[in-house]
Amino acid sequence: MSELPVIGAQLCVLDIDRHRDWLFEKNRDLELPEFCLADILNAPTPFIGMAKAKLDGWHGRLGIHGPFSGFELDVKDAEIRAVVQKRIDQALDVCAALEARQMVLHSPYDAWDHANLDNGPGDRARHVRAVLETLKPALDRAEALGVVLVLENIKDVDPAARAAVVDAADSPALRLSVDTGHALWAHVTCGAPPVDRFISQAGANLAHIHLQDADGYADRHWPLGRGNILWEAVFTALAGTKAAPHLIVEINDFDRVRESVAHLERLGLAC
């Protein structure tokens, strides 16, 4: 790659101060995770205020992690779907207040789906329609706000299932996210393609990556370099997509974010 990609991170609002100089020096991508929580979405104003104050003068790309706990996007019960839509709309309120450009949402696909989506004629298409019925109000509003919803692989075995939802939506407000640790788990445990193939198959629709290291056994969220992910293959695949996704280190220990980016720097892959 002629220019090395600049890596950002997921940081809680309260952790921004400790990483301020590092974040501001290159206007690194930032993702705020607090707004996936229902209690915070019901009363987000203090967190929005803190984020605005702490990010004054920063000009990077901002995203949030949207809600996911207790539901899936392919929900078929209309009353439960209404709650899901409410939570996503609350998160879009946050995006509007913070001028965030992205919101991460979890894919509903898993290994059971991989084995059963084609049991009956039209089953796969019905699954896509269920996801899009849930997302329709959010996509309409996101388009108006200039926000992109990104579908993150969680338990996905086949990257094409998630991609089919994006293709069917045919909206600039819906794109793909790849979580490297989730992809490694799916590869080792479920026979999914390797991590770099999740990246390359996303292609031009790749708008977001969660960078975490793992061993393929569990969702570790280790610092980069601690696990088994082949980072050279990941970044080679990324270059091949010609996409410019938000690049977010998402690890459990926020104190080791810069250590993770330094690992990629030593490999000559990013900065």
Side-chain angles (χ1 to χ4, degrees), residues 11-242:
L11 298 169
C12 292
V13 172
L14 296 176
D15 286 285
I16 290 174
D17 288 342
R18 289 188 293 129
H19 298 277
R20 187 182 189 280
D21 291 345
W22 177 82
L23 188 67
F24 276 56
E25 67 177 348
K26 293 183 179 179
N27 286 312
R28 297 175 185 274
D29 295 337
L30 175 65
E31 181 177 309
L32 301 175
E34 292 93 339
F35 302 104
C36 70
L37 301 173
D39 288 346
I40 290 180
L41 288 176
N42 284 330
T45 303
F47 293 90
I48 291 171
M50 282 191 291
K52 284 184 172 181
K54 292 175 185 295
L55 294 173
D56 184 40
W58 171 76
H59 303 290
R61 301 184 296 182
L62 180 62
I64 70 169
H65 200 305
F68 62 87
S69 182
F71 64 78
E72 298 288 359
L73 292 178
D74 59 347
V75 58
K76 297 173 181 63
D77 185 312
E79 292 184 27
I80 297 174
R81 183 186 298 121
V83 175
V84 177
Q85 290 171 332
K86 173 186 174 181
R87 292 290 180 231
I88 297 174
D89 195 53
Q90 287 176 316
L92 284 171
D93 287 340
V94 172
C95 289
L98 291 175
E99 298 183 0
R101 297 174 56 174
Q102 278 191 357
M103 184 199 305
V104 179
L105 294 174
H106 282 187
S107 166
Y109 289 98
D110 59 23
W112 178 270
D113 296 319
H114 180 61
N116 288 281
L117 275 177
D118 297 312
N119 278 349
D123 284 358
R124 186 177 292 269
R126 277 191 288 272
H127 201 277
V128 170
R129 286 197 297 271
V131 176
L132 292 181
E133 187 168 353
T134 299
L135 287 179
K136 186 180 186 316
L139 288 175
D140 290 343
R141 188 178 179 200
E143 285 187 22
L145 290 172
V147 174
V148 177
L149 310 179
V150 292
L151 281 181
E152 176 188 6
N153 59 304
I154 304 300
K155 295 173 281 187
D156 302 60
V157 176
D158 181 3
R162 217 163 73 265
V165 176
V166 172
D167 290 342
D170 192 24
S171 167
L174 188 64
R175 290 292 182 263
L176 293 170
S177 165
V178 172
D179 183 296
T180 56
H182 299 168
L184 182 65
W185 170 84
H187 174 57
V188 171
T189 304
C190 304
V195 179
D196 60 297
R197 296 295 177 87
F198 273 79
I199 301 286
S200 61
Q201 290 183 33
N205 280 329
L206 181 65
H208 175 274
I209 302 178
H210 273 154
L211 299 163
Q212 57 140 320
D213 220 332
D215 57 1
Y217 181 77
D219 189 21
R220 301 295 194 180
H221 290 271
W222 283 336
L224 277 56
R226 285 284 308 280
N228 300 332
I229 290 178
L230 302 176
W231 294 109
E232 292 91 342
V234 167
F235 279 84
T236 297
L238 171 59
T241 68
K242 308 299 183 185

Side-chain angles (χ1 to χ4, degrees), residues 22 257-267 270:
W22 177 82
V257 163
R258 280 179 275 188
E259 171 190 324
S260 292
V261 177
H263 177 70
L264 296 179
E265 290 175 342
R266 287 192 296 272
L267 294 174

